C-alpha cells in the first residue's frame, strides 16, 4: 500500500496534485476540507458551526477531525492500493494522532510537503476566488489562513523530519513540473 500525507499551505496545490497522483497511481483521495464543506452544504447544525470557523480561515478542533480520519481508515476497501490524505494533519497533535491511527490499521505513510512562496499562494487563491465560490477565498481570509498555516501547520514538517518520512517538494513550478517531482519521490519510496 502506498499512503501519502500531502501537506502544504493554502493554495500550494494539494487538491491539484492529488488528482494527478490518483490518476497515475490509482490511490484514493480524502480532502478534509471537502469533507467539511460537504457538512456545511448539508445544512446540519454541525455544518453551521464548521462554517463559522472555515469562513474566517480558522481550523476546526482536532478531536472533530480525529473521528473523520478514524472512520475513513476503518472503512477502506480491501483492494485499496493506497490513500492520499489532503489537508490532514494540520497541527502537531493531529500528526501524533495520525501516527497512532496508522499504527492501529497497520499502515505507514510518507509525508510530501508542497513548499510555495507566499506571493504565489496569494495570487493563486485570489485567481481561484473569482470562480470557486469558497467563502475563504478573499484577500483578508487568505492572509489569515496563511498565518494559521505558519503558526499551527508548518511545525508538522519537523515532526515528520524527525520521524524520517519527510519529502519536501518545490511547489513554485508548473503543475506538471511539481507532479514530476512527486512522481520521482513515489518511485523512489516504493522501491525501498
Ligand atoms: P482546505 O480545503 O484543505 O483548504 P486549504 O488548505 O486552504 O487549501 P486549498 O484547498 O485552498 O489549496 P490547495 O493546496 O488544495 O491548492 P489547489 O490545488 O486547490 O481546508 C479548508 C479549511 O477547512 C481550512 O482552512 C480549515 O478551516 C478546515 N480544515 C481542513 N482540514 C482541516 C484539518 N485537518 N484540521 C482542521 N481544520 C481543517 O490550488 C489552488 C489554486 O492554484 C487552484 O486554482 C489551482 O488551479 C492553482 N494551482 C495549483 N497548482 C498550481 C501550480 N503549480 N501552478 C499554477 N497554479 C496552480
Ligand atoms: Mg484543496
Amino acid at each position: 500500500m502506498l499512503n501519502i500525507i500531502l501537506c502544504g499551505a493554502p493554495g500550494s496545490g494539494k487538491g491539484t496534485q492529488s488528482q494527478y497522483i490518483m490518476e497515475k497511481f490509482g490511490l484514493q483521495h480524502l480532502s478534509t476540507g471537502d469533507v467539511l464543506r460537504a457538512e456545511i452544504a448539508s445544512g446540519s447544525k454541525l455544518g453551521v458551526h464548521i462554517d463559522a470557523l472555515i469562513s474566517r480561515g480558522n481550523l476546526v478542533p482536532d478531536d472533530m477531525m480525529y473521528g473523520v480520519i478514524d472512520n475513513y481508515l476503518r472503512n477502506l476497501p480491501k483492494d485499496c492500493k493506497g490513500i492520499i490524505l489532503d489537508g490532514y494533519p494540520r497541527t502537531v497533535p493531529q500528526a501524533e494522532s495520525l501516527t497512532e491511527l496508522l499504527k492501529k490499521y497497520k499502515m505507514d505513510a510518507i509525508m510530501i510537503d508542497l513548499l510555495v512562496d507566499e506571493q504565489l499562494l496569494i495570487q493563486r487563491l485570489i485567481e481561484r476566488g473569482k470562480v470557486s465560490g469558497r467563502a475563504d477565498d478573499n484577500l483578508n481570509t487568505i492572509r489569515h489562513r496563511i498565518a494559521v498555516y505558519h503558526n499551527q501547520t508548518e511545525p508538522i514538517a519537523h515532526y515528520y523530519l524527525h520521524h524520517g518520512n519527510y519529502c519536501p517538494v518545490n511547489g513554485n513550478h508548473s503543475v506538471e513540473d511539481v507532479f514530476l517531482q512527486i512522481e520521482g519521490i513515489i518511485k523512489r519510496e516504493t522501491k525501498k
Side-chain angles (χ1 to χ4, degrees):
M1 232 183 159
L2 165 66
N3 302 311
I4 297 172
I5 300 164
L6 191 56
C7 291
S12 58
K14 300 183 294 295
T16 304
Q17 294 300 327
S18 289
Q19 292 303 318
Y20 277 66
I21 301 170
M22 269 165 73
E23 278 166 31
K24 176 94 192 204
F25 297 98
L27 306 187
Q28 285 200 195
H29 173 223
L30 179 75
S31 156
T32 45
D34 288 349
V35 170
L36 296 169
R37 282 184 289 274
E39 189 64 45
I40 296 171
S42 78
S44 69
K45 207 172 157 190
L46 179 64
V48 173
H49 175 59
I50 292 171
D51 190 24
L53 294 164
I54 290 198
S55 60
R56 289 182 179 84
N58 292 316
L59 299 183
V60 307
D62 291 338
D63 54 355
M64 192 186 289
M65 299 314 304
Y66 182 91
V68 171
I69 304 299
D70 191 11
N71 202 34
Y72 179 73
L73 296 180
R74 187 181 320 114
N75 292 306
L76 282 174
K78 289 265 177 296
D79 60 350
C80 177
K81 289 181 176 171
I83 58 169
I84 309 163
L85 292 179
D86 159 359
Y88 185 91
R90 255 179 229 251
T91 63
V92 172
Q94 287 186 13
E96 289 166 347
S97 297
L98 179 60
T99 300
E100 288 309 310
L101 280 172
L102 290 173
K103 211 183 281 175
K104 173 171 152 188
Y105 295 108
K106 300 187 173 35
M107 295 166 75
D108 55 17
I110 55 170
M111 192 275 224
I112 295 181
D113 198 5
L114 297 175
L115 303 170
V116 178
D117 294 346
E118 196 154 318
Q119 265 318 103
L120 210 47
L121 295 173
I122 295 173
Q123 266 175 34
R124 287 182 188 175
L125 292 176
I126 292 287
E127 201 49 44
R128 188 183 66 187
K130 292 175 186 167
V131 291
S132 71
R134 273 179 57 165
D136 56 353
D137 276 350
N138 59 78
L139 187 57
N140 277 345
T141 313
I142 290 167
R143 286 195 198 284
H144 182 65
R145 284 157 69 196
I146 292 173
V148 168
Y149 166 78
H150 286 309
N151 290 333
Q152 301 193 54
T153 306
E154 218 168 24
I156 70 173
H158 297 277
Y159 177 87
Y160 286 103
L161 197 57
H162 182 71
H163 281 73
N165 52 353
Y166 179 70
C167 308
V169 162
N170 183 340
N172 291 309
H173 301 295
S174 70
V175 171
E176 292 74 19
D177 284 353
V178 174
F179 181 62
L180 276 177
Q181 293 178 64
I182 294 177
E183 220 182 348
I185 290 170
I186 292 175
K187 287 183 175 160
R188 185 188 75 209
E189 292 295 322
T190 46
K191 268 192 201 136
K192 276 184 180 171

